[in-house]
Amino acid sequence: MKLRNTISSVELIEVEMPLVHPFRTSFGVEKSTYSILVKITDSEGKIGWGETTISKTPGYSSETNETAWHIQRDFLLPLLQELLKSNNSPTIQDILGNWDSVRGHEMAKGGIEASVWSLFAEQENVSLGKLYGGSKTQIPTGVSIGIQTDLDKLIARIGSFIDKGYQRIKIKIEPGWDVNAVKRIRQEFGDIKLMVDANSAYSLSDHHIKVLKDLDRYEMMMIEQPLAYHDMLDHKKLQTMLSTPVCLDESIHSPHDARVALEYETCKIINIKPGRVGGFANAIEIAEIGGKDVVWCGGMLETGIGRLHNLHFQSRSEFNIPGDTSGSDRYYAQDIIEPKVEVDENGFIQVPTAKGLGAMVREDVIMQYTTRSLGIKF
Ligand code: OSB
Ligand code: MG
């Protein structure tokens, strides 16, 4: 696929969206989501939207809203402008290749890349899901639940999501909030689809290995990123000690990382977050490398724009494991898209079929949450 009409402008819009519940993980508490939305307009006035899925602090990833703003404004957009002077109908691969001189900064790249896919869908008059190679009409989904102040609150919160239909429960864990929580969940809810995400809070110390082996007895779907955020070796050792599949999140930044992790049996499962791997072209490649039962789609508490992109991506056939894409209400009092994303009583989300993102972007609502913006004429 190639760009049909040339790009006339790109706007970076940083938003701060308050979460309805603070989200506590082993690396900190998030009270709001900070995203850089990317609005790309072509010479016919067609508009694409992307979301840069960064946080305020470098606790999950080394990127933050400040680093992404800097890299997008000072490097990625000038490089894109330069490319368009010599090639006015680039492909996604041309755009990514042109950014090779910028190392890392996957999320900064992914936000702009997503806006180009969205513009392609508008120009081609097709749904974004189709461009992402998907054909499913609905996707199975789950919810990721933060660390709570006590176990009763955790049980109540899980109960409310099970009542709403969510197919799978993921809880965040850290030393001191792990085996006790999982044991209680199994007592209260029996054999629900359950998994834990440690966000790198454990090591291969004797004490932690004991905890991880205790967790192994609860027949969970997987344990996500228990060890260091950049590790590929200790997770491999850990996987040989556990029957529960190890899932990598933070350690995977590219299709190459995914190949290393799977070929070296560092993990059995990969959480694909399109932003973390530099956008949807890489995310698709990883989905193809892993296939069914191996890959699933995570989330970064995205606003409606990133959520729609993830939804379309998950209409691909590989996604049979319920993901972390929850309904808009689970995150925000008011989403920036209409209609908002909803999970039905069987834990499925319908994939929009209309062209492009398949929902309306509420720029008036975006304005209420905007903390800064920058328009660049191409
Ligand atoms: O580790 O998967 C994670 C949110 C922010 C940062 C990291 C993670 C998460 C989640 C929430 O687990 C997923 C979501 O609901 O979007
Ligand atoms: Mg994770």
Side-chain angles (χ1 to χ4, degrees):
M1 180 132 339
K2 286 175 181 216
L3 201 65
R4 275 183 195 262
N5 318 313
T6 195
I7 294 169
S8 60
S9 71
V10 178
E11 209 178 327
L12 301 178
I13 306 166
E14 185 191 67
V15 290
E16 175 182 353
M17 299 266 297
L19 290 161
V20 286
H21 281 278
F23 189 68
R24 189 169 148 219
T25 63
S26 63
F27 61 79
V29 186
E30 296 186 61
K31 296 197 172 122
S32 298
T33 295
Y34 298 81
S35 284
I36 300 171
L37 304 175
V38 183
K39 179 183 177 187
I40 188 164
T41 307
D42 76 7
S43 54
E44 283 186 358
K46 294 202 163 75
I47 294 171
W49 287 94
E51 177 167 350
T52 316
T53 61
I54 26 77
S55 311
K56 184 96 178 156
T57 55
Y60 165 80
S61 146
S62 58
E63 295 184 76
T64 68
N65 55 329
E66 290 292 339
T67 69
W69 188 269
H70 162 53
I71 294 294
Q72 291 178 334
R73 181 194 58 192
D74 298 334
F75 297 99
L76 302 178
L77 291 177
L79 281 165
L80 182 57
Q81 266 175 322
E82 214 38 56
L83 173 70
L84 287 166
K85 280 184 199 151
S86 58
N87 174 0
N88 60 17
S89 53
T91 62
I92 292 279
Q93 288 310 331
D94 293 337
I95 293 172
L96 295 180
N98 182 247
W99 285 339
D100 274 348
S101 58
V102 178
R103 294 190 180 173
H105 298 284
E106 288 82 9
M107 289 175 178
K109 291 173 181 168
I112 300 174
E113 194 247 23
S115 75
V116 177
W117 280 102
S118 163
L119 180 61
F120 275 174
E122 295 293 333
Q123 292 184 348
E124 300 293 323
N125 230 326
V126 296
S127 113
L128 188 53
K130 201 167 165 207
L131 292 193
Y132 286 154
S135 57
K136 290 205 282 184
T137 57
Q138 57 175 20
I139 60 127
T141 206
V143 61
S144 172
I145 299 176
I147 295 167
Q148 308 292 311
T149 47
D150 61 70
L151 290 181
D152 290 340
K153 285 213 179 75
L154 176 69
I155 296 303
R157 202 149 162 67
I158 292 174
S160 78
F161 285 112
I162 292 177
D163 289 347
K164 289 191 183 92
Y166 284 88
Q167 296 191 23
R168 179 228 67 185
I169 299 293
K170 157 168 147 184
I171 63 159
K172 293 292 187 176
I173 58 167
E174 66 182 1
W177 181 268
D178 41 40
V179 182
N180 49 352
V182 170
K183 186 175 171 194
R184 180 77 192 279
I185 294 168
R186 282 291 184 229
Q187 282 166 357
E188 301 275 348
F189 302 108
D191 65 351
I192 57 165
K193 282 192 180 140
L194 179 64
M195 57 181 284
V196 291
D197 184 358
N199 290 110
S200 300
Y202 298 83
S203 67
L204 289 186
S205 70
D206 292 349
H207 177 63
H208 283 175
I209 287 178
K210 186 180 171 306
V211 172
L212 295 165
K213 283 190 172 168
D214 280 352
L215 282 173
D216 200 29
R217 302 190 322 220
Y218 292 92
E219 298 197 20
M220 293 190 292
M221 300 169 75
M222 67 193 85
I223 172 164
E224 186 173 333
Q225 197 76 32
L227 308 176
Y229 68 90
H230 49 270
D231 171 72
M232 286 279 190
L233 181 61
D234 287 350
H235 282 99
K236 176 178 168 67
K237 293 182 184 165
L238 179 66
Q239 183 68 89
T240 66
M241 299 180 222
L242 303 179
S243 56
T244 310
V246 169
C247 167
L248 289 181
D249 172 353
E250 283 91 328
S251 290
I252 307 293
H253 288 273
S254 62
H256 180 263
D257 288 347
R259 283 175 44 225
V260 170
L262 294 174
E263 287 186 28
Y264 289 171
E265 298 179 3
T266 294
C267 64
K268 293 194 175 135
I269 299 181
I270 292 175
N271 169 343
I272 304 180
K273 290 182 186 170
R276 195 197 63 228
V277 301
F280 285 86
N282 284 345
I284 290 168
E285 213 176 313
I286 297 174
E288 286 169 344
I289 290 166
K292 272 194 181 120
D293 300 318
V294 173
V295 297
W296 60 280
C297 182
M300 287 294 290
L301 313 173
E302 285 88 348
T303 73
I305 290 175
R307 188 170 318 288
L308 285 169
H309 275 276
N310 289 348
L311 194 50
H312 284 293
F313 175 53
Q314 285 169 88
S315 69
R316 291 181 61 91
S317 64
E318 293 93 353
F319 294 99
N320 56 337
I321 303 175
D324 273 350
T325 309
S326 304
S328 298
D329 293 349
R330 175 254 177 285
Y331 307 93
Y332 306 108
Q334 188 182 20
D335 206 341
I336 61 175
I337 53 162
E338 208 172 285
K340 59 191 180 182
V341 171
E342 281 182 288
V343 177
D344 71 20
E345 65 279 7
N346 297 314
F348 286 96
I349 303 177
Q350 300 303 313
V351 181
T353 49
K355 76 168 162 104
L357 285 173
M360 203 179 89
V361 172
R362 289 281 306 267
E363 294 199 55
D364 55 329
V365 180
I366 291 176
M367 254 160 66
Q368 292 171 33
Y369 296 109
T370 299
T371 43
R372 58 178 155 170
S373 62
L374 171 74
I376 296 168
K377 288 264 167 289
F378 267 55

